[in-house]
Amino acid sequence: MELNPLEQALHTARALVMADLAAGGVAEADIVSLVEDAVTHRRWWVEQWPEGAEFVAGLVAQDVQDALLERYGRWPLCPACSAAEEPHALDVEPELGPDPHWVCTKAAVAVAPVGALGEVLRR
């Protein structure tokens, strides 16, 4: 059974964000619940605006990042800047667009696509 495109976009968004959380070692049960809450919220959003399905991964990443900031602190921390600098979180860009990336706004560099932080963190 094939998923409809909106559900596929939501499942993909969940998988990408979970991959980044796992790469950072923070994919614990209570944090996974934050991902599920974000996906549920974005399901309604994408049902109202189906043309926005390609934007869902970046929006879910931002939603989870915001929820983590409120409860636990900054995530994901920037691996591009030196350890001597003040730790800071990466941002998702574009804020509303396809092909979202984690970027360091201090260094003005794209660090990794959403879902691929593990590749950067293993280096």
Side-chain angles (χ1 to χ4, degrees):
M1 181 176 173
E2 191 172 312
L3 293 175
N4 73 49
L6 301 181
E7 283 300 314
Q8 184 62 49
L10 291 164
H11 285 285
T12 298
R14 177 189 294 112
L16 292 173
V17 173
M18 286 301 302
D20 286 343
L21 289 165
V26 294
E28 299 165 6
D30 56 337
I31 294 173
V32 171
S33 294
L34 298 177
V35 175
E36 293 305 320
D37 291 346
V39 169
T40 298
H41 172 74
R42 292 301 172 178
R43 176 173 283 111
W44 177 88
W45 182 87
V46 79
E47 286 171 351
Q48 303 307 305
W49 189 44
E51 297 81 16
E54 66 184 329
F55 308 153
V56 171
L59 293 170
V60 169
Q62 290 173 43
D63 292 346
V64 171
Q65 185 179 41
D66 291 345
L68 283 170
L69 179 60
E70 291 175 14
R71 295 183 186 187
Y72 302 102
R74 290 174 273 193
W75 175 86
L77 292 179
C78 179
C81 294
S82 79
E85 292 185 46
E86 174 85 20
H88 57 277
L90 299 172
D91 294 323
V92 175
E93 288 187 6
E95 286 188 27
L96 184 61
D99 194 27
H101 279 68
W102 293 109
V103 299
C104 172
T105 55
K106 287 188 177 198
V109 62
V111 174
V114 169
L117 271 179
E119 296 170 23
V120 174
L121 297 176
R122 284 190 287 263
R123 291 183 194 161

